Amino acid sequence: MSEESIAPNVSRKLVAVVPGDDAAPEAVSASMSVLEAMDLPLEFDLLPPGSELAEMPETERENFVNERLDAADTVLFGSTNGTTPGIQHLRWGHKTYANVRPIRWRPGFRSPMANPEGLDYVIVRENLEDSYVGIMGDVDALRSSGLIGPRARIAWEGEGRFAAKIITRQGTEKVARFAFELAGKRAAKSGRSPRLTVSAKTNMLPATDRYFCDIVEEIGSDYPEVRLERFIVDDMAHRLVTRYDELDVLLLPNLYGDVLSDLGAGTVGGLGLAPSGCYGDSSAYFESAHGTAPDIVGQDRINPTATLLSAVMMLDHLGLDQAATRLDRAISEVYSIGRTLTVDQGGTATTDEFATAVRNLLN
Ligand code: ATP
């Protein structure tokens, strides 16, 4: 039993566990079997899966879930296809502005790269702004706005739609500080010098993307010890495949962060391996980077690694460092032994068999 689990004065934190939709509840249930075996100083509030929540009227369902999320100290969230509500509330309601997506290869991960050993960086994705602000409409609404430049005038004939991309100084400064701090923490652990890379489409989108990168550079003057590099985002996509060993913390606006983190997950071995945590000033939640994997629902073959590694991030966030290390090690060991891997990793193990292997290696 770890010191953390027996310390008498540690108050028990409440973790809301949201199973989510399609195949996500299978990954969450397997992950919970591991967490429950760890004798953690935590209480888990397990919400119903999306298939049960769907029986409630929409507003009632949303209030029901949001109240449980608000009552918890943190949240482990299975992916949603929209049936399970709560993500919007956790993200915009709780202002979790920094989405952290570690991209780290471990021996046994089925990477398509020839030399995956140097793959160990973290994407920090701005989580609230950019094209995700939900400002969309018919282009006719823009015609009288005075915002229409020559390129748009040439391209536009007939009907069309637009979606706005919003980058604010305040939002960018916050996520930039978060990323610089993270670069410092990672350097303190690894012994390497701190490094931050920022990327966006600065050449084509000066109003938003160059603005984002310029603000990050300004904030960088408060962190002179961190080496800051800046690349255009198409070059960045190429670098994620060819020069990933030069990365440590990569800061991106929302949409590029969403897309490039799936690319990064592909380089380590697939979506089933990619965890994620979303952090605000007073709230955080944790979920795999993948979606609900609807094509494999009910087959007991979803890989729960991404959910388990998200739980590792959650334990770290809750200050349960020893427990986080213990779980992280057990997961790594299952891969380095390589006998109980799920189908996406070239094995034949079911979701539950994988979780059992992790449980058996907790020490
Ligand atoms: P979303 O739009 O929510 O991202 P999606 O269906 O586009 O959903 P995913 O759910 O991430 O994307 O699935 C993409 C592919 O990756 C699917 O074939 C799915 O089965 C596979 N996949 C995703 N997560 C896992 C996992 N944990 N284990 C095994 N396969 C997975």
Side-chain angles (χ1 to χ4, degrees), residues 248-266:
D248 192 50
V249 176
L250 171 58
L251 173 60
L252 296 159
N254 206 339
L255 178 60
Y256 307 133
D258 196 3
V259 174
L260 292 187
S261 53
D262 271 29
L263 193 163

mmCIF file with all atom_site columns, all heavy atoms in Angstrom, residues 248-266:
data_model
loop_
_atom_site.group_PDB
_atom_site.id
_atom_site.type_symbol
_atom_site.label_atom_id
_atom_site.label_alt_id
_atom_site.label_comp_id
_atom_site.label_asym_id
_atom_site.label_entity_id
_atom_site.label_seq_id
_atom_site.pdbx_PDB_ins_code
_atom_site.Cartn_x
_atom_site.Cartn_y
_atom_site.Cartn_z
_atom_site.occupancy
_atom_site.B_iso_or_equiv
_atom_site.pdbx_formal_charge
_atom_site.auth_seq_id
_atom_site.auth_comp_id
_atom_site.auth_asym_id
_atom_site.auth_atom_id
_atom_site.pdbx_PDB_model_num
ATOM 1   N N   . ASP A 1 248 ? 9.695   19.851 -27.542 1.00 0.00 ? 248 ASP A N   1
ATOM 2   C CA  . ASP A 1 248 ? 9.434   19.537 -26.136 1.00 0.00 ? 248 ASP A CA  1
ATOM 3   C C   . ASP A 1 248 ? 8.013   19.966 -25.748 1.00 0.00 ? 248 ASP A C   1
ATOM 4   O O   . ASP A 1 248 ? 7.208   19.146 -25.361 1.00 0.00 ? 248 ASP A O   1
ATOM 5   C CB  . ASP A 1 248 ? 10.469  20.184 -25.225 1.00 0.00 ? 248 ASP A CB  1
ATOM 6   C CG  . ASP A 1 248 ? 10.333  19.600 -23.832 1.00 0.00 ? 248 ASP A CG  1
ATOM 7   O OD1 . ASP A 1 248 ? 10.300  18.358 -23.711 1.00 0.00 ? 248 ASP A OD1 1
ATOM 8   O OD2 . ASP A 1 248 ? 10.222  20.370 -22.866 1.00 0.00 ? 248 ASP A OD2 1
ATOM 9   N N   . VAL A 1 249 ? 7.723   21.272 -25.860 1.00 0.00 ? 249 VAL A N   1
ATOM 10  C CA  . VAL A 1 249 ? 6.339   21.729 -25.677 1.00 0.00 ? 249 VAL A CA  1
ATOM 11  C C   . VAL A 1 249 ? 5.967   22.493 -26.941 1.00 0.00 ? 249 VAL A C   1
ATOM 12  O O   . VAL A 1 249 ? 6.697   23.378 -27.382 1.00 0.00 ? 249 VAL A O   1
ATOM 13  C CB  . VAL A 1 249 ? 6.195   22.642 -24.433 1.00 0.00 ? 249 VAL A CB  1
ATOM 14  C CG1 . VAL A 1 249 ? 4.769   23.173 -24.327 1.00 0.00 ? 249 VAL A CG1 1
ATOM 15  C CG2 . VAL A 1 249 ? 6.569   21.879 -23.164 1.00 0.00 ? 249 VAL A CG2 1
ATOM 16  N N   . LEU A 1 250 ? 4.843   22.113 -27.532 1.00 0.00 ? 250 LEU A N   1
ATOM 17  C CA  . LEU A 1 250 ? 4.384   22.732 -28.775 1.00 0.00 ? 250 LEU A CA  1
ATOM 18  C C   . LEU A 1 250 ? 3.047   23.412 -28.516 1.00 0.00 ? 250 LEU A C   1
ATOM 19  O O   . LEU A 1 250 ? 2.066   22.757 -28.170 1.00 0.00 ? 250 LEU A O   1
ATOM 20  C CB  . LEU A 1 250 ? 4.231   21.644 -29.854 1.00 0.00 ? 250 LEU A CB  1
ATOM 21  C CG  . LEU A 1 250 ? 3.549   22.054 -31.163 1.00 0.00 ? 250 LEU A CG  1
ATOM 22  C CD1 . LEU A 1 250 ? 4.293   23.201 -31.841 1.00 0.00 ? 250 LEU A CD1 1
ATOM 23  C CD2 . LEU A 1 250 ? 3.462   20.847 -32.113 1.00 0.00 ? 250 LEU A CD2 1
ATOM 24  N N   . LEU A 1 251 ? 3.020   24.735 -28.659 1.00 0.00 ? 251 LEU A N   1
ATOM 25  C CA  . LEU A 1 251 ? 1.807   25.516 -28.380 1.00 0.00 ? 251 LEU A CA  1
ATOM 26  C C   . LEU A 1 251 ? 1.112   25.872 -29.696 1.00 0.00 ? 251 LEU A C   1
ATOM 27  O O   . LEU A 1 251 ? 1.742   26.414 -30.606 1.00 0.00 ? 251 LEU A O   1
ATOM 28  C CB  . LEU A 1 251 ? 2.198   26.790 -27.621 1.00 0.00 ? 251 LEU A CB  1
ATOM 29  C CG  . LEU A 1 251 ? 1.097   27.816 -27.381 1.00 0.00 ? 251 LEU A CG  1
ATOM 30  C CD1 . LEU A 1 251 ? -0.053  27.226 -26.578 1.00 0.00 ? 251 LEU A CD1 1
ATOM 31  C CD2 . LEU A 1 251 ? 1.671   29.037 -26.650 1.00 0.00 ? 251 LEU A CD2 1
ATOM 32  N N   . LEU A 1 252 ? -0.188  25.559 -29.763 1.00 0.00 ? 252 LEU A N   1
ATOM 33  C CA  . LEU A 1 252 ? -0.941  25.771 -30.998 1.00 0.00 ? 252 LEU A CA  1
ATOM 34  C C   . LEU A 1 252 ? -2.314  26.371 -30.689 1.00 0.00 ? 252 LEU A C   1
ATOM 35  O O   . LEU A 1 252 ? -2.922  26.033 -29.663 1.00 0.00 ? 252 LEU A O   1
ATOM 36  C CB  . LEU A 1 252 ? -1.172  24.432 -31.706 1.00 0.00 ? 252 LEU A CB  1
ATOM 37  C CG  . LEU A 1 252 ? 0.071   23.698 -32.198 1.00 0.00 ? 252 LEU A CG  1
ATOM 38  C CD1 . LEU A 1 252 ? -0.222  22.216 -32.402 1.00 0.00 ? 252 LEU A CD1 1
ATOM 39  C CD2 . LEU A 1 252 ? 0.580   24.322 -33.490 1.00 0.00 ? 252 LEU A CD2 1
ATOM 40  N N   . PRO A 1 253 ? -2.838  27.197 -31.603 1.00 0.00 ? 253 PRO A N   1
ATOM 41  C CA  . PRO A 1 253 ? -4.236  27.595 -31.473 1.00 0.00 ? 253 PRO A CA  1
ATOM 42  C C   . PRO A 1 253 ? -5.136  26.359 -31.598 1.00 0.00 ? 253 PRO A C   1
ATOM 43  O O   . PRO A 1 253 ? -4.698  25.297 -32.071 1.00 0.00 ? 253 PRO A O   1
ATOM 44  C CB  . PRO A 1 253 ? -4.455  28.552 -32.647 1.00 0.00 ? 253 PRO A CB  1
ATOM 45  C CG  . PRO A 1 253 ? -3.092  28.969 -33.082 1.00 0.00 ? 253 PRO A CG  1
ATOM 46  C CD  . PRO A 1 253 ? -2.176  27.830 -32.755 1.00 0.00 ? 253 PRO A CD  1
ATOM 47  N N   . ASN A 1 254 ? -6.380  26.531 -31.210 1.00 0.00 ? 254 ASN A N   1
ATOM 48  C CA  . ASN A 1 254 ? -7.326  25.434 -31.024 1.00 0.00 ? 254 ASN A CA  1
ATOM 49  C C   . ASN A 1 254 ? -7.417  24.419 -32.183 1.00 0.00 ? 254 ASN A C   1
ATOM 50  O O   . ASN A 1 254 ? -7.172  23.218 -31.999 1.00 0.00 ? 254 ASN A O   1
ATOM 51  C CB  . ASN A 1 254 ? -8.701  26.093 -30.785 1.00 0.00 ? 254 ASN A CB  1
ATOM 52  C CG  . ASN A 1 254 ? -9.635  25.217 -29.997 1.00 0.00 ? 254 ASN A CG  1
ATOM 53  O OD1 . ASN A 1 254 ? -9.462  24.016 -29.938 1.00 0.00 ? 254 ASN A OD1 1
ATOM 54  N ND2 . ASN A 1 254 ? -10.645 25.825 -29.409 1.00 0.00 ? 254 ASN A ND2 1
ATOM 55  N N   . LEU A 1 255 ? -7.738  24.896 -33.369 1.00 0.00 ? 255 LEU A N   1
ATOM 56  C CA  . LEU A 1 255 ? -7.993  23.979 -34.488 1.00 0.00 ? 255 LEU A CA  1
ATOM 57  C C   . LEU A 1 255 ? -6.725  23.220 -34.906 1.00 0.00 ? 255 LEU A C   1
ATOM 58  O O   . LEU A 1 255 ? -6.749  21.999 -35.092 1.00 0.00 ? 255 LEU A O   1
ATOM 59  C CB  . LEU A 1 255 ? -8.570  24.754 -35.682 1.00 0.00 ? 255 LEU A CB  1
ATOM 60  C CG  . LEU A 1 255 ? -8.848  23.952 -36.945 1.00 0.00 ? 255 LEU A CG  1
ATOM 61  C CD1 . LEU A 1 255 ? -9.851  22.831 -36.703 1.00 0.00 ? 255 LEU A CD1 1
ATOM 62  C CD2 . LEU A 1 255 ? -9.372  24.865 -38.062 1.00 0.00 ? 255 LEU A CD2 1
ATOM 63  N N   . TYR A 1 256 ? -5.608  23.930 -35.022 1.00 0.00 ? 256 TYR A N   1
ATOM 64  C CA  . TYR A 1 256 ? -4.364  23.246 -35.401 1.00 0.00 ? 256 TYR A CA  1
ATOM 65  C C   . TYR A 1 256 ? -3.971  22.238 -34.325 1.00 0.00 ? 256 TYR A C   1
ATOM 66  O O   . TYR A 1 256 ? -3.443  21.165 -34.609 1.00 0.00 ? 256 TYR A O   1
ATOM 67  C CB  . TYR A 1 256 ? -3.210  24.243 -35.595 1.00 0.00 ? 256 TYR A CB  1
ATOM 68  C CG  . TYR A 1 256 ? -3.506  25.379 -36.545 1.00 0.00 ? 256 TYR A CG  1
ATOM 69  C CD1 . TYR A 1 256 ? -3.208  26.695 -36.202 1.00 0.00 ? 256 TYR A CD1 1
ATOM 70  C CD2 . TYR A 1 256 ? -4.092  25.141 -37.783 1.00 0.00 ? 256 TYR A CD2 1
ATOM 71  C CE1 . TYR A 1 256 ? -3.472  27.740 -37.061 1.00 0.00 ? 256 TYR A CE1 1
ATOM 72  C CE2 . TYR A 1 256 ? -4.370  26.195 -38.652 1.00 0.00 ? 256 TYR A CE2 1
ATOM 73  C CZ  . TYR A 1 256 ? -4.065  27.494 -38.284 1.00 0.00 ? 256 TYR A CZ  1
ATOM 74  O OH  . TYR A 1 256 ? -4.334  28.528 -39.137 1.00 0.00 ? 256 TYR A OH  1
ATOM 75  N N   . GLY A 1 257 ? -4.232  22.618 -33.065 1.00 0.00 ? 257 GLY A N   1
ATOM 76  C CA  . GLY A 1 257 ? -3.902  21.715 -31.956 1.00 0.00 ? 257 GLY A CA  1
ATOM 77  C C   . GLY A 1 257 ? -4.721  20.446 -32.030 1.00 0.00 ? 257 GLY A C   1
ATOM 78  O O   . GLY A 1 257 ? -4.229  19.339 -31.763 1.00 0.00 ? 257 GLY A O   1
ATOM 79  N N   . ASP A 1 258 ? -5.985  20.579 -32.397 1.00 0.00 ? 258 ASP A N   1
ATOM 80  C CA  . ASP A 1 258 ? -6.872  19.425 -32.520 1.00 0.00 ? 258 ASP A CA  1
ATOM 81  C C   . ASP A 1 258 ? -6.360  18.488 -33.616 1.00 0.00 ? 258 ASP A C   1
ATOM 82  O O   . ASP A 1 258 ? -6.205  17.281 -33.418 1.00 0.00 ? 258 ASP A O   1
ATOM 83  C CB  . ASP A 1 258 ? -8.279  19.947 -32.862 1.00 0.00 ? 258 ASP A CB  1
ATOM 84  C CG  . ASP A 1 258 ? -9.352  18.903 -32.646 1.00 0.00 ? 258 ASP A CG  1
ATOM 85  O OD1 . ASP A 1 258 ? -9.035  17.798 -32.179 1.00 0.00 ? 258 ASP A OD1 1
ATOM 86  O OD2 . ASP A 1 258 ? -10.524 19.202 -32.966 1.00 0.00 ? 258 ASP A OD2 1
ATOM 87  N N   . VAL A 1 259 ? -6.049  19.060 -34.755 1.00 0.00 ? 259 VAL A N   1
ATOM 88  C CA  . VAL A 1 259 ? -5.643  18.248 -35.910 1.00 0.00 ? 259 VAL A CA  1
ATOM 89  C C   . VAL A 1 259 ? -4.251  17.641 -35.690 1.00 0.00 ? 259 VAL A C   1
ATOM 90  O O   . VAL A 1 259 ? -4.044  16.433 -35.858 1.00 0.00 ? 259 VAL A O   1
ATOM 91  C CB  . VAL A 1 259 ? -5.651  19.112 -37.196 1.00 0.00 ? 259 VAL A CB  1
ATOM 92  C CG1 . VAL A 1 259 ? -5.107  18.335 -38.378 1.00 0.00 ? 259 VAL A CG1 1
ATOM 93  C CG2 . VAL A 1 259 ? -7.059  19.626 -37.484 1.00 0.00 ? 259 VAL A CG2 1
ATOM 94  N N   . LEU A 1 260 ? -3.306  18.487 -35.280 1.00 0.00 ? 260 LEU A N   1
ATOM 95  C CA  . LEU A 1 260 ? -1.927  17.992 -35.178 1.00 0.00 ? 260 LEU A CA  1
ATOM 96  C C   . LEU A 1 260 ? -1.742  17.018 -34.018 1.00 0.00 ? 260 LEU A C   1
ATOM 97  O O   . LEU A 1 260 ? -0.837  16.181 -34.041 1.00 0.00 ? 260 LEU A O   1
ATOM 98  C CB  . LEU A 1 260 ? -0.944  19.164 -35.073 1.00 0.00 ? 260 LEU A CB  1
ATOM 99  C CG  . LEU A 1 260 ? -0.816  20.014 -36.345 1.00 0.00 ? 260 LEU A CG  1
ATOM 100 C CD1 . LEU A 1 260 ? 0.306   21.035 -36.197 1.00 0.00 ? 260 LEU A CD1 1
ATOM 101 C CD2 . LEU A 1 260 ? -0.573  19.169 -37.591 1.00 0.00 ? 260 LEU A CD2 1
ATOM 102 N N   . SER A 1 261 ? -2.608  17.088 -33.008 1.00 0.00 ? 261 SER A N   1
ATOM 103 C CA  . SER A 1 261 ? -2.433  16.114 -31.923 1.00 0.00 ? 261 SER A CA  1
ATOM 104 C C   . SER A 1 261 ? -2.866  14.725 -32.372 1.00 0.00 ? 261 SER A C   1
ATOM 105 O O   . SER A 1 261 ? -2.326  13.720 -31.895 1.00 0.00 ? 261 SER A O   1
ATOM 106 C CB  . SER A 1 261 ? -3.124  16.541 -30.630 1.00 0.00 ? 261 SER A CB  1
ATOM 107 O OG  . SER A 1 261 ? -4.459  16.837 -30.854 1.00 0.00 ? 261 SER A OG  1
ATOM 108 N N   . ASP A 1 262 ? -3.803  14.623 -33.302 1.00 0.00 ? 262 ASP A N   1
ATOM 109 C CA  . ASP A 1 262 ? -4.128  13.300 -33.862 1.00 0.00 ? 262 ASP A CA  1
ATOM 110 C C   . ASP A 1 262 ? -2.962  12.805 -34.728 1.00 0.00 ? 262 ASP A C   1
ATOM 111 O O   . ASP A 1 262 ? -2.654  11.612 -34.742 1.00 0.00 ? 262 ASP A O   1
ATOM 112 C CB  . ASP A 1 262 ? -5.411  13.349 -34.699 1.00 0.00 ? 262 ASP A CB  1
ATOM 113 C CG  . ASP A 1 262 ? -6.659  13.092 -33.843 1.00 0.00 ? 262 ASP A CG  1
ATOM 114 O OD1 . ASP A 1 262 ? -6.620  13.419 -32.643 1.00 0.00 ? 262 ASP A OD1 1
ATOM 115 O OD2 . ASP A 1 262 ? -7.665  12.569 -34.363 1.00 0.00 ? 262 ASP A OD2 1
ATOM 116 N N   . LEU A 1 263 ? -2.334  13.746 -35.434 1.00 0.00 ? 263 LEU A N   1
ATOM 117 C CA  . LEU A 1 263 ? -1.152  13.354 -36.221 1.00 0.00 ? 263 LEU A CA  1
ATOM 118 C C   . LEU A 1 263 ? -0.061  12.821 -35.280 1.00 0.00 ? 263 LEU A C   1
ATOM 119 O O   . LEU A 1 263 ? 0.523   11.753 -35.507 1.00 0.00 ? 263 LEU A O   1
ATOM 120 C CB  . LEU A 1 263 ? -0.632  14.581 -36.997 1.00 0.00 ? 263 LEU A CB  1
ATOM 121 C CG  . LEU A 1 263 ? 0.392   14.344 -38.099 1.00 0.00 ? 263 LEU A CG  1
ATOM 122 C CD1 . LEU A 1 263 ? 0.476   15.563 -39.016 1.00 0.00 ? 263 LEU A CD1 1
ATOM 123 C CD2 . LEU A 1 263 ? 1.780   14.022 -37.593 1.00 0.00 ? 263 LEU A CD2 1
ATOM 124 N N   . GLY A 1 264 ? 0.160   13.557 -34.197 1.00 0.00 ? 264 GLY A N   1
ATOM 125 C CA  . GLY A 1 264 ? 1.157   13.123 -33.204 1.00 0.00 ? 264 GLY A CA  1
ATOM 126 C C   . GLY A 1 264 ? 0.810   11.763 -32.637 1.00 0.00 ? 264 GLY A C   1
ATOM 127 O O   . GLY A 1 264 ? 1.680   10.892 -32.485 1.00 0.00 ? 264 GLY A O   1
ATOM 128 N N   . ALA A 1 265 ? -0.490  11.553 -32.337 1.00 0.00 ? 265 ALA A N   1
ATOM 129 C CA  . ALA A 1 265 ? -0.923  10.252 -31.795 1.00 0.00 ? 265 ALA A CA  1
ATOM 130 C C   . ALA A 1 265 ? -0.607  9.155  -32.806 1.00 0.00 ? 265 ALA A C   1
ATOM 131 O O   . ALA A 1 265 ? -0.174  8.056  -32.433 1.00 0.00 ? 265 ALA A O   1
ATOM 132 C CB  . ALA A 1 265 ? -2.417  10.288 -31.479 1.00 0.00 ? 265 ALA A CB  1
ATOM 133 N N   . GLY A 1 266 ? -0.800  9.446  -34.088 1.00 0.00 ? 266 GLY A N   1
ATOM 134 C CA  . GLY A 1 266 ? -0.495  8.473  -35.136 1.00 0.00 ? 266 GLY A CA  1
ATOM 135 C C   . GLY A 1 266 ? 0.971   8.091  -35.125 1.00 0.00 ? 266 GLY A C   1
ATOM 136 O O   . GLY A 1 266 ? 1.320   6.917  -35.324 1.00 0.00 ? 266 GLY A O   1
#
